Amino acid sequence: MQFDYTSVGKRIQHYRTSLNKTQEELAEQADISKNYLSKLENAQARGRLDKYYSVAQALGVTVDMLIDNSSDRASGNDYFFSNQLLPLVSSLSVEQRKMLIDFIELLKDYDVDKNNTKRG
């Protein structure tokens, strides 16, 4: 299996633009140069894992979200996740993110119907 630098670059750009960040802003937050970020987005550079990790952290996503194309298969959900949920979650503190995860775990136990009955 070959690493698809073009797809990774497109994902980086997609997440960056969905957060309304410029290349300069993201590069600064990821502690890389704007030029290097541009090369990553355009598949003109083969980034190191630590650089992808820094970019992912600055975007509020995981490295696997940048390199795994399984998120492309769920394109109907991508719009909601990338344009609404991701910016909100990215703005939360670590403690708030933990609380959100706990809430989602609780929410999974309940059906979203009229009675909000617990799943068995």
Side-chain angles (χ1 to χ4, degrees):
M1 180 174 147
Q2 275 195 323
F3 193 85
D4 188 352
Y5 292 97
T6 301
S7 293
V8 173
K10 287 180 181 179
R11 284 189 200 94
I12 291 170
Q13 185 176 39
H14 169 76
Y15 288 125
R16 177 180 61 78
T17 57
S18 71
L19 293 169
N20 296 318
K21 290 186 181 191
T22 65
Q23 283 184 333
E24 285 181 0
E25 291 169 330
L26 179 58
E28 183 178 324
Q29 292 169 348
D31 197 28
I32 60 176
S33 72
K34 178 184 175 269
N35 186 45
Y36 185 69
L37 175 61
S38 177
K39 287 181 178 183
L40 289 178
E41 286 187 353
N42 293 298
Q44 296 173 346
R46 293 188 148 113
R48 297 185 341 223
L49 184 57
D50 63 321
K51 299 301 180 187
Y52 286 118
Y53 179 79
S54 295
V55 170
Q57 289 286 9
L59 290 169
V61 300
T62 60
V63 174
D64 64 314
M65 291 171 71
L66 295 181
I67 63 175
D68 183 17
N69 69 353
S70 63
S71 62
D72 291 343
R73 294 184 208 126
S75 60
N77 293 324
D78 279 349
Y79 178 81
F80 171 75
F81 180 77
S82 297
N83 293 311
Q84 294 181 347
L85 189 58
L86 181 62
L88 291 172
V89 173
S90 296
S91 69
L92 298 176
S93 69
V94 172
E95 191 61 34
Q96 289 171 318
R97 289 179 188 190
K98 289 177 183 177
M99 291 172 61
L100 179 60
I101 290 168
D102 290 343
F103 176 75
I104 291 170
E105 290 294 329
L106 286 171
L107 189 61
K108 286 187 338 183
D109 290 338
Y110 291 89
D111 285 331
V112 184
D113 63 9
K114 296 178 197 170
N115 300 322
N116 285 329
T117 57
K118 190 168 185 168
R119 293 184 199 185

